[in-house]
Amino acid sequence: MNAQISLSSRAWFELALLSAIWGASFLSIRVALDEIPVMTAVAHRVFWAALILWLYVLLRRLPVPRTARIWGACLIMGLLNNAIPFTLMAWGQLYIETGLTSIFNAATAIFGVLVAAIVFTDERLTLNRIIGVLIGFTGVTVAIGIENLTQFDIRSMAQLAVLLGTVSYALAGSWARATMSGLAPQVAAAGMLTGSTLIMVPLALFIDGAPQLALQTDTILAVGYYAIIATAGAYLLYYRVLAMAGSGNLMLCTLLIVPVAITLGVLVRGETLSPQALAGFTLLALGLLILDGRILRLLRKSP
């Protein structure tokens, strides 16, 4: 699960670049939501990203799946990895800070370990994973705040929505391993985004109505960024980084996203995060580093 590869300078650069791209996506989504509804924002994201990725697949002449089973798997993957989490997180961002959304997003790895342990016999919960999960969940609880656990309001619902989005991401990871391992990753991403487009475009038209065309420049730039750069481009970069850095080192990307999102939220939208949110992220980051065995390896190397 967590293959470790020594990181070259190029791998570090591309890992940092991917983190910056995804970190900025939280801000761009929030900017777009100032003018367009949630469903439409998500439909834009998956529709344009799917077009870009299919163009890439055609230019590279990658083999396209032809069986109904694979296309059905892509549809479910699009639901679990795009339609559900993108929608829940975008709605959540209407009521909580972009930085806090990125903190909860980092919990994806925690849920991913639990789902994989339930689904796959070779993904059992070792001691370090159990400790990492427990510390990670403690961090999430601290970030939410005791007051939000005791009095349920719209902010509490928003935080819960974002966390449910991370659970959906975790389910998608196990679904991809079980059903889509034979596909070229770029083709799998294009198929997944096609599946989510088939879900989100009709939903957006039904719930939000026809999309507004006369949009502010900031909104157009925000949609272009999160659809073309932070979705289509980021998926292509993700697979490059995965090949160079390994799945274990990609855990660092999850952590690096957060300070980028927090900083942009502060600078652009004047957001502030409570000390408990930052303390929660610290615990969550510690849990993730224990989860993938990184801290244990450092302790073994120390004299």
Side-chain angles (χ1 to χ4, degrees):
M1 175 182 169
N2 292 320
Q4 295 295 334
I5 297 175
S6 179
L7 290 174
S8 65
S9 298
R10 181 175 178 179
W12 269 115
F13 173 78
E14 296 198 10
L15 182 69
L17 177 61
L18 180 61
S19 303
I21 289 172
W22 271 338
S25 69
F26 291 94
L27 174 64
S28 65
I29 292 166
R30 187 61 189 86
V31 169
L33 291 172
D34 285 337
E35 190 173 8
I36 58 180
V38 169
M39 293 291 185
T40 300
V42 176
H44 274 303
R45 182 174 189 177
V46 297
F47 176 79
W48 299 114
L51 286 182
I52 297 296
L53 283 180
W54 279 121
L55 178 62
Y56 176 89
V57 169
L58 292 175
L59 290 175
R60 293 290 305 273
R61 297 183 178 180
L62 298 174
V64 178
R66 300 184 182 278
T67 66
R69 183 186 68 82
I70 293 297
W71 283 111
C74 288
L75 181 64
I76 295 175
M77 187 66 179
L79 176 69
L80 293 175
N81 203 58
N82 297 150
I84 291 175
F86 287 178
T87 301
L88 288 173
M89 290 187 174
W91 180 82
Q93 280 192 253
L94 292 173
Y95 305 101
I96 64 174
E97 299 82 1
T98 56
L100 186 57
T101 304
S102 71
I103 290 174
F104 291 137
N105 179 71
T108 298
I110 300 292
F111 290 114
V113 166
L114 292 177
V115 171
I118 294 171
V119 175
F120 302 112
T121 57
D122 61 341
E123 293 284 2
R124 57 192 181 84
L125 288 175
T126 59
L127 179 60
N128 70 292
R129 289 184 180 181
I130 293 172
I131 294 172
V133 166
L134 292 175
I135 294 176
F137 273 131
T138 301
V140 170
T141 303
V142 171
I144 291 174
I146 299 300
E147 71 279 4
N148 290 309
L149 294 173
T150 57
Q151 50 185 23
F152 203 68
D153 55 14
I154 191 67
R155 183 175 174 84
S156 303
M157 291 177 63
Q159 293 183 91
L160 179 59
V162 174
L163 284 172
L164 287 175
T166 68
V167 174
S168 190
Y169 278 140
L171 292 170
S174 291
W175 177 259
R177 175 181 167 181
T179 63
M180 303 178 71
S181 57
L183 288 178
Q186 298 88 348
V187 175
M192 169 187 70
L193 286 164
T194 300
S196 54
T197 297
L198 293 174
I199 295 168
M200 291 309 304
V201 169
L203 275 177
L205 291 173
F206 179 74
I207 295 173
D208 299 336
Q212 181 181 348
L213 299 179
L215 298 172
Q216 296 180 15
T217 302
D218 287 352
T219 304
I220 295 172
L221 291 175
V223 170
Y225 178 83
Y226 71 64
I228 297 172
I229 297 176
T231 304
Y235 274 133
L236 296 178
L237 180 58
Y238 170 86
Y239 295 120
R240 283 175 52 86
V241 174
L242 179 62
M244 287 191 294
S247 59
N249 285 320
L250 271 173
M251 182 83 72
L252 295 172
C253 182
T254 304
L255 301 179
L256 292 173
I257 286 171
V258 176
V260 174
I262 291 174
T263 301
L264 290 175
V266 170
L267 294 177
V268 179
R269 298 188 68 89
E271 296 178 349
T272 57
L273 288 182
S274 66
Q276 69 187 31
L278 299 176
F281 171 63
T282 301
L283 285 171
L284 178 56
L286 176 62
L288 292 176
L289 294 175
I290 292 174
L291 191 67
D292 83 331
R294 195 173 303 269
I295 288 181
L296 183 61
R297 286 191 298 275
L298 290 174
L299 291 175
R300 286 173 177 171
K301 290 180 181 179
S302 62

